């Protein structure tokens, strides 16, 4: 059994008590009544997700647009898919936009963060919820849970989801085995250098929502560091008390191999380093190296005495600047946001 004689700091303990909720606290009907004239967008970044994107979009449209008028638009950002992701999402009822078309004229960037930034630029709601495109057995409560605090409490600026993440392996199902990068990289980093954020159950969760006025004031890291960078930047911008988390139950999605998780962890560390520098915790703005050396067993290029290939990956990250700092019209960005109370087309 796990025993600890240590306790959380009073600040973290108070925050988790006050700012943690459950998706079951709100129904779609209650939130539709509470939203008033607030526009609500759901943004889904997707790359080669033809197997899952249709069901996700269809569920949101059926449950939260047609049955209950809660969500005003569903925007799927096609992130350079080579399969039928865009066509499937469009047939299911989403407005599909191209990541590259939205960022045309800007430096090319890789990774999920750029797609999220493009989705924020393309969407129009006052409140924007982000949902990953690879979820299985998707339920509308993933969206209502994220929207609940934002539509019922004006002091909340950002909501982070958390959930159980089962890991299916040859030996069976590990109930919470899916958060490997969280437990081995992100959580230790946050506890050591950003301890006020240690109360977040899943800082890397891909489901979250925020007010446009706040989201447009932070940069978006291009790669896998986007979630941890966003969390740190929001805490610095609006303070811990304006952030909250909601239990979404269980999340089933595609899992990546250990080598890919290593690259993800490295990008998270590089992202955290830049925020540590901003807080005066490191003297240099960049770590000594952003190259990651990994070893692959066997192969034609295996080195003598190693029986392994060496794989080198650049894990440095770039950032899209806050949307609020850009001239949207000159860049041709289609989304322009709107003042509260304006109309949003579904």
């Amino acid at each position: 059994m796990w025993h600890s004689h240590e306790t959380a700091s009073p600040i973290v303990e108070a925050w988790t008590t006050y700012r943690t909720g459950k998706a079951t606290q709100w129904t779609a009907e209650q939130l539709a009544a509470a939203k008033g004239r607030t526009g609500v967008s759901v943004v889904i970044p997707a790359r080669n997700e033809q197997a899952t994107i249709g069901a996700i979009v269809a569920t949101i449209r059926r449950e939260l647009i047609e049955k209950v008028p809660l969500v005003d638009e569903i925007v799927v950002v096609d992130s350079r898919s080579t399969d039928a992701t865009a066509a499937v999402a469009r047939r299911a009822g989403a407005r599909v936009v191209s990541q590259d078309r939205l960022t045309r004229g800007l430096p090319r960037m890789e990774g999920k963060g750029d797609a999220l930034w493009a989705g924020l630029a393309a969407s129009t709601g006052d409140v924007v919820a982000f949902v990953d495109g690879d979820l299985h057995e998707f339920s509308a409560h993933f969206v209502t849970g994220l929207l609940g605090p934002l539509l019922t409490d004006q002091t909340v600026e950002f909501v982070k989801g958390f959930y159980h993440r089962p890991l299916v392996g040859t030996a069976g199902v590990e109930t919470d085995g899916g958060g490997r990068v969280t437990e081995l990289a992100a959580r230790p980093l946050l506890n050591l250098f950003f301890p006020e954020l240690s109360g977040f159950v899943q800082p890397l969760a891909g489901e979250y929502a925020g007010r446009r006025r706040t989201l447009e004031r932070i940069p978006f890291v291009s790669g896998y560091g986007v979630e941890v960078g966003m969390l740190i930047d929001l805490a610095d911008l609006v303070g811990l008390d304006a952030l909250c988390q909601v239990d979404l139950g269980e999340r089933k999605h595609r899992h990546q191999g250990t080598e890919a998780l290593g690259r993800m962890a490295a990008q998270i560390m590089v992202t955290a380093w830049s925020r540590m520098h901003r807080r005066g915790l490191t003297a240099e703005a960049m770590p000594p190296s952003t190259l990651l050396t990994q070893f692959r067993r066997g192969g034609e290029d295996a080195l003598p005495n190693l029986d392994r290939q060496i794989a080198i990956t650049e894990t440095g990250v770039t950032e899209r600047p806050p949307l609020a700092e850009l001239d949207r019209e000159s860049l041709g960005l289609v989304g322009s946001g709107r003042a509260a109370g304006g109309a949003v087309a579904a």
Side-chain angles (χ1 to χ4, degrees):
M1 295 181 64
W2 174 39
H3 296 284
S4 175
H5 299 293
E6 303 295 331
T7 59
S9 75
I11 293 176
V12 171
E13 186 173 350
W15 178 84
T16 54
T17 301
Y18 174 57
R19 286 304 201 192
T20 300
K22 291 188 176 182
T24 52
Q25 290 179 230
W26 307 277
T27 66
E29 291 79 8
Q30 290 171 333
L31 296 179
K35 69 174 280 189
R37 301 180 68 191
T38 301
V40 176
S41 301
V42 176
V43 171
I44 309 172
R47 174 180 293 182
N48 296 331
E49 306 293 359
Q50 65 178 17
T52 52
I53 192 66
I56 295 172
V57 171
T59 298
I60 297 171
R61 174 161 286 280
R62 182 181 64 251
E63 301 295 329
L64 304 180
I65 293 181
E66 295 171 355
K67 286 186 179 180
V68 180
L70 175 59
V71 171
D72 297 291
E73 66 173 355
I74 307 168
V75 178
V76 169
V77 182
D78 182 18
S79 182
R80 302 166 188 156
S81 296
T82 57
D83 65 1
T85 291
V88 171
R90 195 174 288 111
R91 284 198 300 268
R95 176 163 65 90
V96 179
V97 298
S98 164
Q99 174 183 342
D100 286 336
R101 185 170 298 176
L102 280 162
T103 57
R104 184 174 50 204
L106 298 172
R108 180 183 172 92
M109 292 186 182
E110 302 293 334
K112 177 185 176 183
D114 192 41
L116 292 169
W117 187 90
L120 180 61
S123 62
T124 57
D126 304 297
V127 169
V128 182
F130 296 95
V131 177
D132 278 348
D134 65 344
L135 303 185
H136 297 276
E137 301 178 24
F138 179 82
S139 169
H141 80 271
F142 271 64
V143 176
T144 55
L146 296 173
L147 296 177
L150 291 161
L151 296 179
T152 60
D153 186 345
Q154 291 301 309
T155 68
V156 174
E157 293 291 324
F158 180 80
V159 179
K160 189 79 168 178
F162 69 94
Y163 27 65
H164 294 291
R165 296 178 63 192
L167 178 64
V168 180
T170 55
V173 178
E174 188 177 348
T175 306
D176 285 307
R180 291 167 288 173
V181 175
T182 292
E183 298 304 328
L184 299 176
R187 196 180 310 285
L189 273 172
L190 291 176
N191 276 266
L192 287 169
F193 302 109
F194 307 92
E196 73 276 17
L197 298 174
S198 61
F200 280 92
V201 178
Q202 284 177 327
L204 304 184
E207 281 62 54
Y208 39 84
R211 301 191 191 279
R212 175 175 298 278
R213 67 191 183 202
T214 297
L215 294 172
E216 290 195 349
R217 294 170 61 197
I218 60 171
F220 278 59
V221 175
S222 61
Y224 287 118
V226 60
E227 273 87 18
V228 73
M230 182 182 296
L231 203 57
I232 296 168
D233 292 346
L234 286 166
D236 287 345
L237 179 66
V238 297
L240 181 63
D241 191 54
L243 314 180
C244 74
Q245 61 182 347
V246 170
D247 186 348
L248 300 178
E250 185 174 83
R251 183 187 199 267
K252 295 181 179 180
H253 68 123
R254 182 182 65 250
H255 293 283
Q256 300 192 57
T258 303
E259 187 174 309
L261 296 180
R263 294 190 293 270
M264 186 185 302
Q267 286 199 327
I268 288 166
M269 293 178 184
V270 171
T271 302
W273 182 288
S274 66
R275 274 68 186 168
M276 291 162 60
H277 175 71
R278 188 175 65 200
R279 290 191 176 190
L281 299 176
T282 62
E284 302 296 330
M286 291 293 294
S289 173
T290 56
L291 295 178
L292 175 66
T293 301
Q294 294 177 301
F295 297 89
R296 297 172 184 166
R297 185 173 180 176
E300 295 181 359
D301 298 323
L303 296 179
N305 303 321
L306 278 180
D307 190 30
R308 290 166 175 81
Q309 300 178 65
I310 292 180
I312 306 294
T313 304
E314 171 56 63
T315 62
V317 298
T318 51
E319 299 183 10
R320 291 290 186 205
L323 274 166
E325 297 178 1
L326 300 180
D327 182 345
R328 292 168 181 263
E329 292 186 6
S330 66
L331 292 172
L333 297 174
V334 297
S336 60
R338 60 178 179 77
V344 175

